[in-house]
Amino acid sequence: MNIEQFIASLKEKGITLTEKQLDQFEKYYETLVEWNEKMNLTAITDKEDVYLKHFYDSITAGFYFDFTKPLRLSDVGAGAGFPSIPLKIIFPEIEVTIVDSLNKRISFLNHLANVLGLEKVQFVHDRAETFGVNPKYRESFDVVTARAVARMSVLSELCLPLVKVGGHFLALKAANAEEELNAGKKAITTFGGRLESMSTFTLPIEESERNILIIKKEKQTPKKYPRKPGTPGKTPIE
């Protein structure tokens, strides 16, 4: 996806990019590639691939969920900032908190935020399991996002404890989302969630399947969740 295709594809969805936003995406790409030489941030470094598989793919969440109002968003295991930083560029009013277990990635994100001139962003070095029991963050976010971090049963335990009652958890998935959803139904209910919608579409150009699952938080997550670091992955609730 070249820049012109990126602009045109977003315009089709009602998103018109400003010069400032285009400049931020360009700087994002340059910074990502530069830092990727020092540390492993992404296997995707070709410019057209980054614009399609990282930038555009992250923004697709905004086609199915309203980010235009002020929201507190937490992004779990965002790695190099996906999907929350592209969403933040498009919807600058959202407040973003990224939690990641690798300090090197947090250093990259702090540098990136300075380069892009982002405000109302914070980056926390922590495991999602311990972050989720911290009273400062637990059940305090309007929306929590995760992109390709773990399967739904595991992801629900990491993300739903962070969502306030009435808020939403958005899982960005490739193929097999329905299978994951079926295996994760018990977990979603256990942590206080309910599937609100599942949208399936194809990523332009490469025509690969993508899914966005929107889970509404209907009741508080029981205090015993999330369990200790590593436990959700080893013994998921299914």
mmCIF file of all heavy atoms in Angstrom, residues 164-201:
data_model
loop_
_atom_site.group_PDB
_atom_site.id
_atom_site.type_symbol
_atom_site.label_atom_id
_atom_site.label_comp_id
_atom_site.label_asym_id
_atom_site.label_seq_id
_atom_site.Cartn_x
_atom_site.Cartn_y
_atom_site.Cartn_z
ATOM 1 N N LYS A 164 -13.563 -0.544 32.268
ATOM 2 C CA LYS A 164 -14.597 -0.158 33.230
ATOM 3 C C LYS A 164 -15.936 -0.763 32.815
ATOM 4 O O LYS A 164 -16.150 -1.054 31.634
ATOM 5 C CB LYS A 164 -14.688 1.366 33.355
ATOM 6 C CG LYS A 164 -15.044 2.093 32.071
ATOM 7 C CD LYS A 164 -15.441 3.551 32.314
ATOM 8 C CE LYS A 164 -14.274 4.424 32.704
ATOM 9 N NZ LYS A 164 -14.600 5.870 32.557
ATOM 10 N N VAL A 165 -16.832 -0.970 33.763
ATOM 11 C CA VAL A 165 -18.160 -1.496 33.444
ATOM 12 C C VAL A 165 -18.851 -0.492 32.508
ATOM 13 O O VAL A 165 -18.855 0.711 32.758
ATOM 14 C CB VAL A 165 -18.987 -1.745 34.727
ATOM 15 C CG1 VAL A 165 -20.418 -2.143 34.376
ATOM 16 C CG2 VAL A 165 -18.339 -2.833 35.584
ATOM 17 N N GLY A 166 -19.360 -1.011 31.392
ATOM 18 C CA GLY A 166 -19.948 -0.135 30.372
ATOM 19 C C GLY A 166 -18.979 0.175 29.245
ATOM 20 O O GLY A 166 -19.364 0.698 28.207
ATOM 21 N N GLY A 167 -17.690 -0.150 29.459
ATOM 22 C CA GLY A 167 -16.670 0.073 28.432
ATOM 23 C C GLY A 167 -16.537 -1.119 27.500
ATOM 24 O O GLY A 167 -17.335 -2.059 27.544
ATOM 25 N N HIS A 168 -15.503 -1.099 26.649
ATOM 26 C CA HIS A 168 -15.353 -2.126 25.614
ATOM 27 C C HIS A 168 -13.914 -2.637 25.501
ATOM 28 O O HIS A 168 -12.962 -1.886 25.713
ATOM 29 C CB HIS A 168 -15.771 -1.563 24.245
ATOM 30 C CG HIS A 168 -17.220 -1.251 24.137
ATOM 31 N ND1 HIS A 168 -17.753 -0.048 24.556
ATOM 32 C CD2 HIS A 168 -18.266 -1.996 23.681
ATOM 33 C CE1 HIS A 168 -19.070 -0.060 24.351
ATOM 34 N NE2 HIS A 168 -19.395 -1.220 23.818
ATOM 35 N N PHE A 169 -13.823 -3.896 25.120
ATOM 36 C CA PHE A 169 -12.545 -4.530 24.790
ATOM 37 C C PHE A 169 -12.592 -4.869 23.304
ATOM 38 O O PHE A 169 -13.531 -5.520 22.843
ATOM 39 C CB PHE A 169 -12.355 -5.770 25.680
ATOM 40 C CG PHE A 169 -11.407 -6.821 25.156
ATOM 41 C CD1 PHE A 169 -10.199 -6.481 24.579
ATOM 42 C CD2 PHE A 169 -11.727 -8.178 25.272
ATOM 43 C CE1 PHE A 169 -9.333 -7.456 24.102
ATOM 44 C CE2 PHE A 169 -10.871 -9.162 24.801
ATOM 45 C CZ PHE A 169 -9.671 -8.801 24.216
ATOM 46 N N LEU A 170 -11.598 -4.388 22.548
ATOM 47 C CA LEU A 170 -11.522 -4.636 21.108
ATOM 48 C C LEU A 170 -10.351 -5.556 20.806
ATOM 49 O O LEU A 170 -9.204 -5.212 21.106
ATOM 50 C CB LEU A 170 -11.305 -3.321 20.337
ATOM 51 C CG LEU A 170 -12.529 -2.510 19.920
ATOM 52 C CD1 LEU A 170 -13.343 -2.073 21.123
ATOM 53 C CD2 LEU A 170 -12.107 -1.293 19.108
ATOM 54 N N ALA A 171 -10.647 -6.708 20.222
ATOM 55 C CA ALA A 171 -9.589 -7.640 19.822
ATOM 56 C C ALA A 171 -9.480 -7.625 18.306
ATOM 57 O O ALA A 171 -10.459 -7.868 17.599
ATOM 58 C CB ALA A 171 -9.916 -9.044 20.313
ATOM 59 N N LEU A 172 -8.277 -7.309 17.806
ATOM 60 C CA LEU A 172 -8.025 -7.283 16.367
ATOM 61 C C LEU A 172 -7.383 -8.611 15.992
ATOM 62 O O LEU A 172 -6.297 -8.943 16.484
ATOM 63 C CB LEU A 172 -7.091 -6.120 15.994
ATOM 64 C CG LEU A 172 -7.726 -4.719 15.963
ATOM 65 C CD1 LEU A 172 -8.034 -4.214 17.359
ATOM 66 C CD2 LEU A 172 -6.792 -3.738 15.257
ATOM 67 N N LYS A 173 -8.061 -9.369 15.154
ATOM 68 C CA LYS A 173 -7.644 -10.736 14.853
ATOM 69 C C LYS A 173 -7.510 -10.960 13.355
ATOM 70 O O LYS A 173 -8.192 -10.316 12.566
ATOM 71 C CB LYS A 173 -8.694 -11.714 15.401
ATOM 72 C CG LYS A 173 -8.774 -11.736 16.928
ATOM 73 C CD LYS A 173 -7.693 -12.618 17.460
ATOM 74 C CE LYS A 173 -7.554 -12.622 18.952
ATOM 75 N NZ LYS A 173 -6.314 -13.265 19.360
ATOM 76 N N ALA A 174 -6.681 -11.953 13.003
ATOM 77 C CA ALA A 174 -6.607 -12.384 11.598
ATOM 78 C C ALA A 174 -7.683 -13.453 11.395
ATOM 79 O O ALA A 174 -8.779 -13.327 11.920
ATOM 80 C CB ALA A 174 -5.214 -12.899 11.283
ATOM 81 N N ALA A 175 -7.370 -14.525 10.676
ATOM 82 C CA ALA A 175 -8.349 -15.600 10.470
ATOM 83 C C ALA A 175 -8.529 -16.393 11.769
ATOM 84 O O ALA A 175 -7.881 -16.107 12.777
ATOM 85 C CB ALA A 175 -7.884 -16.489 9.334
ATOM 86 N N ASN A 176 -9.402 -17.376 11.754
ATOM 87 C CA ASN A 176 -9.691 -18.259 12.912
ATOM 88 C C ASN A 176 -10.338 -17.557 14.102
ATOM 89 O O ASN A 176 -10.366 -18.105 15.203
ATOM 90 C CB ASN A 176 -8.423 -18.979 13.421
ATOM 91 C CG ASN A 176 -7.725 -19.771 12.341
ATOM 92 O OD1 ASN A 176 -8.387 -20.317 11.467
ATOM 93 N ND2 ASN A 176 -6.417 -19.809 12.380
ATOM 94 N N ALA A 177 -10.853 -16.351 13.899
ATOM 95 C CA ALA A 177 -11.431 -15.604 15.024
ATOM 96 C C ALA A 177 -12.663 -16.314 15.589
ATOM 97 O O ALA A 177 -12.858 -16.328 16.803
ATOM 98 C CB ALA A 177 -11.787 -14.185 14.592
ATOM 99 N N GLU A 178 -13.453 -16.916 14.719
ATOM 100 C CA GLU A 178 -14.681 -17.567 15.181
ATOM 101 C C GLU A 178 -14.359 -18.759 16.082
ATOM 102 O O GLU A 178 -14.983 -18.962 17.120
ATOM 103 C CB GLU A 178 -15.520 -18.023 13.979
ATOM 104 C CG GLU A 178 -16.941 -18.328 14.380
ATOM 105 C CD GLU A 178 -17.960 -17.959 13.308
ATOM 106 O OE1 GLU A 178 -17.620 -17.282 12.320
ATOM 107 O OE2 GLU A 178 -19.100 -18.359 13.499
ATOM 108 N N GLU A 179 -13.362 -19.515 15.656
ATOM 109 C CA GLU A 179 -12.874 -20.660 16.427
ATOM 110 C C GLU A 179 -12.395 -20.201 17.815
ATOM 111 O O GLU A 179 -12.734 -20.783 18.843
ATOM 112 C CB GLU A 179 -11.708 -21.256 15.642
ATOM 113 C CG GLU A 179 -11.415 -22.715 15.863
ATOM 114 C CD GLU A 179 -10.271 -23.140 14.948
ATOM 115 O OE1 GLU A 179 -10.468 -23.206 13.705
ATOM 116 O OE2 GLU A 179 -9.182 -23.356 15.479
ATOM 117 N N GLU A 180 -11.597 -19.135 17.812
ATOM 118 C CA GLU A 180 -11.078 -18.570 19.062
ATOM 119 C C GLU A 180 -12.204 -18.081 19.956
ATOM 120 O O GLU A 180 -12.178 -18.245 21.172
ATOM 121 C CB GLU A 180 -10.162 -17.374 18.770
ATOM 122 C CG GLU A 180 -8.759 -17.752 18.401
ATOM 123 C CD GLU A 180 -7.839 -16.542 18.447
ATOM 124 O OE1 GLU A 180 -7.980 -15.705 19.366
ATOM 125 O OE2 GLU A 180 -6.992 -16.422 17.557
ATOM 126 N N LEU A 181 -13.191 -17.472 19.321
ATOM 127 C CA LEU A 181 -14.324 -16.928 20.065
ATOM 128 C C LEU A 181 -15.098 -18.047 20.754
ATOM 129 O O LEU A 181 -15.457 -17.929 21.927
ATOM 130 C CB LEU A 181 -15.233 -16.145 19.118
ATOM 131 C CG LEU A 181 -16.409 -15.412 19.753
ATOM 132 C CD1 LEU A 181 -15.924 -14.348 20.736
ATOM 133 C CD2 LEU A 181 -17.267 -14.760 18.680
ATOM 134 N N ASN A 182 -15.322 -19.128 20.040
ATOM 135 C CA ASN A 182 -16.039 -20.266 20.625
ATOM 136 C C ASN A 182 -15.293 -20.830 21.826
ATOM 137 O O ASN A 182 -15.887 -21.133 22.857
ATOM 138 C CB ASN A 182 -16.261 -21.360 19.567
ATOM 139 C CG ASN A 182 -17.313 -20.949 18.556
ATOM 140 O OD1 ASN A 182 -18.208 -20.163 18.872
ATOM 141 N ND2 ASN A 182 -17.213 -21.439 17.336
ATOM 142 N N ALA A 183 -13.953 -20.933 21.692
ATOM 143 C CA ALA A 183 -13.135 -21.445 22.801
ATOM 144 C C ALA A 183 -13.060 -20.437 23.950
ATOM 145 O O ALA A 183 -12.849 -20.815 25.103
ATOM 146 C CB ALA A 183 -11.733 -21.772 22.297
ATOM 147 N N GLY A 184 -13.261 -19.151 23.624
ATOM 148 C CA GLY A 184 -13.107 -18.101 24.632
ATOM 149 C C GLY A 184 -14.390 -17.629 25.288
ATOM 150 O O GLY A 184 -14.360 -16.748 26.153
ATOM 151 N N LYS A 185 -15.532 -18.219 24.898
ATOM 152 C CA LYS A 185 -16.829 -17.754 25.427
ATOM 153 C C LYS A 185 -16.901 -17.804 26.952
ATOM 154 O O LYS A 185 -17.377 -16.875 27.593
ATOM 155 C CB LYS A 185 -17.973 -18.588 24.826
ATOM 156 C CG LYS A 185 -18.459 -18.035 23.496
ATOM 157 C CD LYS A 185 -19.556 -18.883 22.894
ATOM 158 C CE LYS A 185 -19.966 -18.306 21.523
ATOM 159 N NZ LYS A 185 -20.754 -19.266 20.756
ATOM 160 N N LYS A 186 -16.432 -18.906 27.522
ATOM 161 C CA LYS A 186 -16.485 -19.071 28.979
ATOM 162 C C LYS A 186 -15.641 -17.983 29.659
ATOM 163 O O LYS A 186 -16.068 -17.377 30.655
ATOM 164 C CB LYS A 186 -15.988 -20.466 29.374
ATOM 165 C CG LYS A 186 -16.150 -20.753 30.858
ATOM 166 C CD LYS A 186 -15.599 -22.118 31.230
ATOM 167 C CE LYS A 186 -15.675 -22.322 32.733
ATOM 168 N NZ LYS A 186 -15.029 -23.591 33.141
ATOM 169 N N ALA A 187 -14.450 -17.738 29.104
ATOM 170 C CA ALA A 187 -13.554 -16.730 29.672
ATOM 171 C C ALA A 187 -14.191 -15.335 29.611
ATOM 172 O O ALA A 187 -14.189 -14.595 30.601
ATOM 173 C CB ALA A 187 -12.221 -16.732 28.935
ATOM 174 N N ILE A 188 -14.754 -14.994 28.467
ATOM 175 C CA ILE A 188 -15.365 -13.666 28.290
ATOM 176 C C ILE A 188 -16.452 -13.435 29.342
ATOM 177 O O ILE A 188 -16.485 -12.383 29.993
ATOM 178 C CB ILE A 188 -15.925 -13.512 26.852
ATOM 179 C CG1 ILE A 188 -14.765 -13.457 25.846
ATOM 180 C CG2 ILE A 188 -16.787 -12.257 26.725
ATOM 181 C CD1 ILE A 188 -15.177 -13.653 24.391
ATOM 182 N N THR A 189 -17.307 -14.432 29.536
ATOM 183 C CA THR A 189 -18.384 -14.325 30.535
ATOM 184 C C THR A 189 -17.824 -14.248 31.954
ATOM 185 O O THR A 189 -18.269 -13.436 32.766
ATOM 186 C CB THR A 189 -19.334 -15.542 30.420
ATOM 187 O OG1 THR A 189 -19.736 -15.660 29.053
ATOM 188 C CG2 THR A 189 -20.564 -15.381 31.278
ATOM 189 N N THR A 190 -16.829 -15.099 32.237
ATOM 190 C CA THR A 190 -16.218 -15.141 33.577
ATOM 191 C C THR A 190 -15.670 -13.780 33.997
ATOM 192 O O THR A 190 -15.796 -13.374 35.153
ATOM 193 C CB THR A 190 -15.075 -16.194 33.599
ATOM 194 O OG1 THR A 190 -15.626 -17.467 33.253
ATOM 195 C CG2 THR A 190 -14.416 -16.292 34.969
ATOM 196 N N PHE A 191 -15.077 -13.057 33.036
ATOM 197 C CA PHE A 191 -14.449 -11.771 33.361
ATOM 198 C C PHE A 191 -15.391 -10.581 33.203
ATOM 199 O O PHE A 191 -14.979 -9.429 33.294
ATOM 200 C CB PHE A 191 -13.169 -11.574 32.530
ATOM 201 C CG PHE A 191 -12.254 -12.763 32.591
ATOM 202 C CD1 PHE A 191 -11.787 -13.367 31.432
ATOM 203 C CD2 PHE A 191 -11.880 -13.301 33.814
ATOM 204 C CE1 PHE A 191 -10.966 -14.483 31.492
ATOM 205 C CE2 PHE A 191 -11.055 -14.415 33.884
ATOM 206 C CZ PHE A 191 -10.596 -15.013 32.722
ATOM 207 N N GLY A 192 -16.695 -10.874 32.968
ATOM 208 C CA GLY A 192 -17.686 -9.799 32.957
ATOM 209 C C GLY A 192 -18.047 -9.255 31.599
ATOM 210 O O GLY A 192 -18.681 -8.207 31.495
ATOM 211 N N GLY A 193 -17.638 -9.946 30.529
ATOM 212 C CA GLY A 193 -17.889 -9.428 29.180
ATOM 213 C C GLY A 193 -18.990 -10.147 28.431
ATOM 214 O O GLY A 193 -19.463 -11.206 28.828
ATOM 215 N N ARG A 194 -19.412 -9.534 27.320
ATOM 216 C CA ARG A 194 -20.384 -10.127 26.408
ATOM 217 C C ARG A 194 -20.043 -9.666 24.992
ATOM 218 O O ARG A 194 -19.747 -8.496 24.784
ATOM 219 C CB ARG A 194 -21.807 -9.656 26.760
ATOM 220 C CG ARG A 194 -22.893 -10.107 25.777
ATOM 221 C CD ARG A 194 -24.252 -9.496 26.107
ATOM 222 N NE ARG A 194 -24.262 -8.039 26.053
ATOM 223 C CZ ARG A 194 -24.409 -7.328 24.927
ATOM 224 N NH1 ARG A 194 -24.526 -7.912 23.753
ATOM 225 N NH2 ARG A 194 -24.431 -5.990 24.987
ATOM 226 N N LEU A 195 -20.056 -10.601 24.040
ATOM 227 C CA LEU A 195 -19.758 -10.226 22.655
ATOM 228 C C LEU A 195 -20.829 -9.268 22.138
ATOM 229 O O LEU A 195 -22.004 -9.593 22.134
ATOM 230 C CB LEU A 195 -19.695 -11.467 21.757
ATOM 231 C CG LEU A 195 -19.398 -11.178 20.279
ATOM 232 C CD1 LEU A 195 -17.960 -10.708 20.071
ATOM 233 C CD2 LEU A 195 -19.674 -12.415 19.424
ATOM 234 N N GLU A 196 -20.406 -8.081 21.725
ATOM 235 C CA GLU A 196 -21.342 -7.102 21.170
ATOM 236 C C GLU A 196 -21.410 -7.239 19.649
ATOM 237 O O GLU A 196 -22.477 -7.201 19.066
ATOM 238 C CB GLU A 196 -20.913 -5.684 21.569
ATOM 239 C CG GLU A 196 -21.961 -4.624 21.307
ATOM 240 C CD GLU A 196 -21.601 -3.292 21.941
ATOM 241 O OE1 GLU A 196 -20.896 -2.500 21.282
ATOM 242 O OE2 GLU A 196 -22.008 -3.047 23.086
ATOM 243 N N SER A 197 -20.236 -7.396 19.022
ATOM 244 C CA SER A 197 -20.228 -7.588 17.564
ATOM 245 C C SER A 197 -18.918 -8.225 17.112
ATOM 246 O O SER A 197 -17.897 -8.126 17.793
ATOM 247 C CB SER A 197 -20.408 -6.247 16.838
ATOM 248 O OG SER A 197 -19.287 -5.417 17.053
ATOM 249 N N MET A 198 -18.995 -8.889 15.968
ATOM 250 C CA MET A 198 -17.791 -9.408 15.321
ATOM 251 C C MET A 198 -17.870 -9.022 13.858
ATOM 252 O O MET A 198 -18.843 -9.348 13.175
ATOM 253 C CB MET A 198 -17.717 -10.929 15.472
ATOM 254 C CG MET A 198 -16.562 -11.540 14.708
ATOM 255 S SD MET A 198 -16.435 -13.311 15.057
ATOM 256 C CE MET A 198 -15.532 -13.838 13.606
ATOM 257 N N SER A 199 -16.889 -8.286 13.390
ATOM 258 C CA SER A 199 -16.884 -7.820 12.000
ATOM 259 C C SER A 199 -15.735 -8.475 11.245
ATOM 260 O O SER A 199 -14.592 -8.438 11.696
ATOM 261 C CB SER A 199 -16.723 -6.296 11.955
ATOM 262 O OG SER A 199 -17.756 -5.685 12.713
ATOM 263 N N THR A 200 -16.072 -9.076 10.108
ATOM 264 C CA THR A 200 -15.072 -9.737 9.268
ATOM 265 C C THR A 200 -14.936 -8.955 7.969
ATOM 266 O O THR A 200 -15.925 -8.555 7.373
ATOM 267 C CB THR A 200 -15.507 -11.187 8.964
ATOM 268 O OG1 THR A 200 -15.713 -11.868 10.207
ATOM 269 C CG2 THR A 200 -14.459 -11.942 8.163
ATOM 270 N N PHE A 201 -13.692 -8.721 7.561
ATOM 271 C CA PHE A 201 -13.450 -7.985 6.318
ATOM 272 C C PHE A 201 -12.104 -8.434 5.755
ATOM 273 O O PHE A 201 -11.377 -9.189 6.400
ATOM 274 C CB PHE A 201 -13.458 -6.468 6.574
ATOM 275 C CG PHE A 201 -12.431 -6.001 7.577
ATOM 276 C CD1 PHE A 201 -11.218 -5.457 7.166
ATOM 277 C CD2 PHE A 201 -12.671 -6.122 8.949
ATOM 278 C CE1 PHE A 201 -10.270 -5.042 8.098
ATOM 279 C CE2 PHE A 201 -11.724 -5.705 9.886
ATOM 280 C CZ PHE A 201 -10.523 -5.160 9.448
#
